[in-house]
Amino acid sequence: MKTRTDENLEEVSFDEFDEIMNPRSDEQDFDRVVGNAVSRRGFLKSTVVFGGISALGSVLIPDALLAAEDRFTFDSIPTNDLDTITLPEGYESEVLVKWGDPIWSKGVDFDHATRGTGESQAMAFGDNNDGMDIFPFEDKLLLVVNNEYTNRKIIWGNRPEGKAESDDDIVKGKLAHGVSVLEIRLTDGQWSIVKDSPFNRRITPDTEVNLTGPAAGHELLKTAADPTGTVSKGTWNNCGNGRTPWGTYLACEENFNGYFSASSEEYELSAEQKRYGISTKDWGYGWSKVDDRFNIEKHPNEAHRAGYIVEIDPSNPNSVPKKRTALGRFKHENAEVVINADGRVVVYMGDDERGEFIYRYVSNGVYAPGGDTDSLLDDGKLYVAKFHDNGAGEWLELSKESTGMNSMAEICVYTRMAGSQVGATTMDRPEWVAANPHSAEVYCALTNNKNRGIKPNKGGDLTPVGGANPRKDNKYGQIVRWRPNGGDHTATGFAWDLFVIAGNPAVHQDDRAGSANVHKGNMFNSPDGIKFDSNGMLWVQTDGKYTNEGDFEGQGNNQMLLADPVSGEIRRFLVGPKECEVTGLSWSPDRRTMFVGIQHPGEKGNSHWPEGGEATPRSAIITIRRTDGGIVG
Ligand code: FEO
Ligand code: CA
Ligand code: CA
Ligand code: CA
């Protein structure tokens, strides 16, 4: 049989590759996957079918829990395409903080005419809030939130062409990126940010950060500005997040590539640069015009210093953030931290690109509350996931031996290549990973993948249809879950199934209708942010198509749903304003307020949320509470 490396992708069609590489049996067919996968009962059925998967018995939920108990506190709401937040009866929301709101009193209020300046932005909440978490510290509450990116037509919407016209426009955009740390407070029933709190902080693409772990100091990380390869500047395009039990925040660098450009379009890109999407042109941000390090022709190693997970201590405003290279370099979505029963720290991570992989990090040391935690995210092993079509899976270690690469440093910089070397499973764009706090099981949102079954990933790895990625040209996405063997998050093996396959049963009757727990009243596309609440219920946020037409007719704006992992039931909880993504989720310590991120309302120019009228649309964090003061998760 021909192997993948024998093939020239230009000459052979994908389907031919698919046949050569992944001969399909009846067991790989879609109905079988759906039949096995869509509910807890389905999961159990699949474990019976694949009885060879050992040790599952120890993590099965008792039969009593499988009873159809209603664990929801609201009725599913209809979808809509309104320019507002819609919630079930008995819930209300308010805006906590919006892009451009000053967080120090020396800042100025957002100016809708100019949309701010570099100077005003430096004093203000960043744009496009995404992952977030709340950290109680002493008697304070510290909200840490990513400001992922900017939309040209919004941040430069004051310019006729929606493009930067001056260096200051570019600087304004740059400073709208990074991470915001905000003290927040509930006073007389009203949440607000505490202006001038000593904990308030903006971490921007210019803030000093350290590089730690296996790649720190390696040749690949050395630059003209930093010959040591250990001190970098800033973080940007932070998407989802994580939190550690030792009180730190993890900001995850995702589409870091789109900020680099070359002086000349003739600049020849390396295979590594191409794999990571580095190009001679940036995505319109223009940073190389004001900051030479974003010119890859002059400073090719600068791009090696982005694409990491950044650990931030919100309790110390002077702390230097640390890029933890041991967790690999790719388009990090979020970082789900689990403390294994033996105390080792396990971090699950997705690489959000078509046909990229899911990863796991396992620390060598163990976490002890109050003990030293500084090496826990530097010293460990990195793995990548292989999902077999029969419902079993395994974690493949990325080592010098398994990858044939020269060093762990190289593996931590060119992690995607390492994953390809060991034959990891190409996934349908892994977004957030969430671990159930009540059971050893982990979920990952696979948002969509128009290339599934059509094109390989950027490294030439095939994207065959089947297994955890069962649909060609996957428009709607799915959520895969796995249970580590023996309930041990460090185990090599796991069993997986699909918790939900999103679709549109109003429009399609084939596999595009989705799994049995999707119906006309709860349908959605492109699951992205997922997080468990304290009750073990799974919140699902969407970043999908909001045309409300064609394949997406009846699905309305992006939304947030709640899923019961035991029964498989899914209900719609929130509908966002026009052209937004719903992303980022946290709770107050008493669980009576939920914080939800609304990102880029009006990204195509059709929203004035949240202020209405003719106002500039602004990404914002909202608070959601029950009118009866009850728990919201
Ligand atoms: Fe920033 Fe993969 O979403
Ligand atoms: Ca996302
Ligand atoms: Ca997304
Ligand atoms: Ca987005």
Side-chain angles (χ1 to χ4, degrees):
M1 183 189 281
K2 288 181 181 175
T3 67
R4 169 181 320 202
T5 49
D6 293 329
E7 302 295 339
N8 180 335
L9 293 167
E10 302 300 320
E11 292 167 13
V12 181
S13 79
F14 185 86
D15 288 345
E16 286 170 294
F17 264 102
D18 196 354
E19 274 306 301
I20 294 165
M21 293 303 296
N22 292 280
R24 292 178 61 184
S25 68
D26 290 341
E27 295 224 330
Q28 291 166 275
D29 118 313
F30 179 81
D31 292 339
R32 175 62 177 276
V33 173
V34 174
N36 281 339
V38 295
S39 68
R40 172 70 61 191
R41 289 184 187 283
F43 198 129
L44 294 176
K45 200 168 83 186
S46 78
T47 63
V48 173
V49 171
F50 303 106
I53 303 162
S54 61
L56 258 177
S58 63
V59 295
L60 295 181
I61 289 186
D63 279 348
L65 274 181
L66 293 172
E69 177 197 352
D70 181 356
R71 300 205 289 155
F72 293 87
T73 56
F74 61 90
D75 292 327
S76 199
I77 60 168
T79 188
N80 65 60
D81 58 3
L82 304 173
D83 198 24
T84 190
I85 301 285
T86 310
L87 293 167
E89 206 179 312
Y91 291 82
E92 58 190 8
S93 71
E94 284 184 45
V95 174
L96 173 70
V97 62
K98 309 177 287 300
W99 161 50
D101 282 347
I103 62 176
W104 290 281
S105 47
K106 60 189 173 187
V108 296
D109 285 341
F110 184 79
D111 180 339
H112 287 267
T114 65
R115 308 189 177 197
T117 63
E119 190 180 359
S120 68
Q121 185 61 68
M123 292 290 126
F125 185 55
D127 200 0
N128 275 25
N129 44 275
D130 204 304
M132 62 177 152
D133 253 307
I134 291 170
F135 296 83
F137 179 68
E138 296 174 342
D139 60 344
K140 317 275 189 214
L141 282 183
L142 307 179
L143 170 67
V144 192
V145 52
N146 294 337
N147 295 114
E148 187 184 25
Y149 69 109
T150 58
N151 305 79
R152 273 178 280 176
K153 286 184 178 161
I154 296 178
I155 197 158
W156 299 319
N158 56 315
R159 304 299 191 190
E161 297 197 19
K163 288 181 182 166
E165 290 185 2
S166 66
D167 283 359
D168 191 64
D169 282 351
I170 296 174
V171 169
K172 173 175 78 171
K174 193 175 175 209
L175 295 177
H177 285 69
V179 178
S180 297
V181 183
L182 310 168
E183 186 184 339
I184 57 171
R185 185 179 290 163
L186 182 63
T187 311
D188 299 332
Q190 188 80 35
W191 284 100
S192 59
I193 64 167
V194 180
K195 260 192 192 176
D196 301 320
S197 163
F199 295 96
N200 288 357
R201 184 177 187 189
R202 285 298 320 283
I203 295 164
T204 74
D206 293 329
T207 305
E208 183 177 305
V209 304
N210 288 338
L211 293 152
T212 72
H218 189 270
E219 284 305 314
L220 287 169
L221 299 193
K222 293 178 182 172
T223 63
D226 170 32
T228 70
T230 59
V231 185
S232 190
K233 262 176 93 180
T235 182
W236 58 91
N237 211 292
N238 299 102
C239 188
N241 75 296
R243 73 181 299 156
T244 67
W246 52 92
T248 59
Y249 179 83
L250 303 177
C252 306
E253 296 180 332
E254 192 186 25
N255 294 301
F256 66 90
N257 54 309
Y259 301 81
F260 293 94
S261 58
S263 319
S264 145
E265 285 188 34
E266 315 304 298
Y267 175 75
E268 203 157 323
L269 297 160
S270 67
E272 290 83 2
Q273 285 171 324
K274 287 180 185 166
R275 179 72 186 267
Y276 282 90
I278 309 283
S279 160
T280 56
K281 283 187 172 174
D282 67 22
W283 292 354
Y285 298 110
W287 292 7
S288 68
K289 295 195 185 90
V290 299
D291 189 343
D292 218 31
R293 70 196 158 108
F294 291 94
N295 183 327
I296 46 159
E297 200 164 341
K298 296 183 185 167
H299 306 289
N301 281 356
E302 282 290 355
H304 297 149
R305 293 145 66 94
Y308 296 105
I309 283 179
V310 190
E311 186 174 13
I312 296 167
D313 178 1
S315 72
N316 177 1
N318 300 315
S319 59
V320 178
K322 292 177 180 173
K323 293 199 177 190
R324 300 294 192 182
T325 67
L327 280 67
R329 173 170 168 265
F330 43 90
K331 294 190 180 179
H332 279 285
E333 182 69 24
N334 82 326
E336 180 71 338
V337 178
V338 176
I339 303 301
N340 198 46
D342 63 4
R344 281 186 286 170
V345 180
V346 177
V347 188
Y348 291 106
M349 303 170 282
D351 181 354
D352 180 9
E353 182 136 15
R354 297 182 189 101
E356 291 294 343
F357 311 134
I358 295 174
Y359 295 85
R360 179 187 73 172
Y361 168 87
V362 180
S363 68
N364 287 331
V366 298
Y367 167 63
D372 183 12
T373 55
D374 199 42
S375 68
L376 289 175
L377 300 181
D378 283 343
D379 177 21
K381 291 190 170 74
L382 191 58
Y383 302 80
V384 68
K386 179 119 188 153
F387 290 79
H388 297 293
D389 288 347
N390 67 355
E394 60 186 305
W395 292 104
L396 307 171
E397 187 181 345
L398 301 177
S399 64
K400 275 167 56 175
E401 294 70 29
S402 67
T403 64
M405 291 167 75
N406 291 318
S407 61
M408 276 312 294
E410 205 175 294
I411 290 168
C412 293
V413 176
Y414 296 137
T415 311
R416 285 182 165 182
M417 270 78 170
S420 292
Q421 285 297 324
V422 301
T425 301
T426 58
M427 307 299 288
D428 284 346
R429 295 188 54 201
E431 300 260 21
W432 292 54
V433 186
N436 190 333
H438 298 307
S439 152
E441 60 173 14
V442 188
Y443 292 61
C444 181
L446 301 171
T447 198
N448 56 53
N449 184 1
K450 67 178 183 187
N451 291 348
R452 171 62 56 188
I454 295 168
K455 271 190 192 172
N457 71 10
K458 283 203 175 92
D461 302 319
L462 301 177
T463 64
V465 176
N469 306 281
R471 289 178 297 185
K472 186 175 178 178
D473 180 22
N474 176 10
K475 289 183 168 67
Y476 300 105
Q478 65 268 16
I479 297 178
V480 65
R481 65 179 167 186
W482 59 88
R483 294 173 150 195
N485 287 352
D488 176 356
H489 286 281
T490 70
T492 299
F494 58 86
W496 67 267
D497 72 356
L498 295 176
F499 174 65
V500 59
I501 302 171
N504 191 328
V507 173
H508 296 295
Q509 278 73 53
D510 57 14
D511 63 11
R512 292 170 293 177
S515 50
N517 49 351
V518 170
H519 52 79
K520 289 175 193 170
N522 71 358
M523 61 182 179
F524 60 96
N525 72 88
S526 307
D528 187 330
I530 59 172
K531 207 174 222 184
F532 275 95
D533 66 21
S534 61
N535 300 319
M537 298 284 276
L538 182 69
W539 295 85
V540 179
Q541 303 174 318
T542 71
D543 173 23
K545 288 279 197 308
Y546 41 69
T547 59
N548 215 13
E549 290 175 352
D551 287 328
F552 307 99
E553 189 174 345
Q555 300 199 330
N557 295 343
N558 275 307
Q559 52 188 286
M560 183 163 78
L561 307 107
L562 183 61
D564 184 337
V566 177
S567 68
E569 184 178 355
I570 299 170
R571 291 190 191 176
R572 184 183 295 120
F573 176 76
L574 175 153
V575 180
K578 284 181 183 293
E579 299 175 1
C580 79
E581 171 186 344
V582 181
T583 185
L585 179 60
S586 193
W587 288 268
S588 59
D590 67 5
R591 298 269 164 180
R592 292 177 198 280
T593 305
M594 172 190 259
F595 296 75
V596 174
I598 302 297
Q599 192 188 57
H600 61 65
E603 66 174 348
K604 297 193 192 304
N606 297 301
S607 168
H608 298 284
W609 189 86
E611 292 155 286
E614 290 306 308
T616 303
R618 296 160 76 185
S619 294
I621 297 172
I622 60 171
T623 57
I624 297 175
R625 285 185 288 167
R626 287 173 61 128
T627 48
D628 66 5
I631 304 284
V632 286

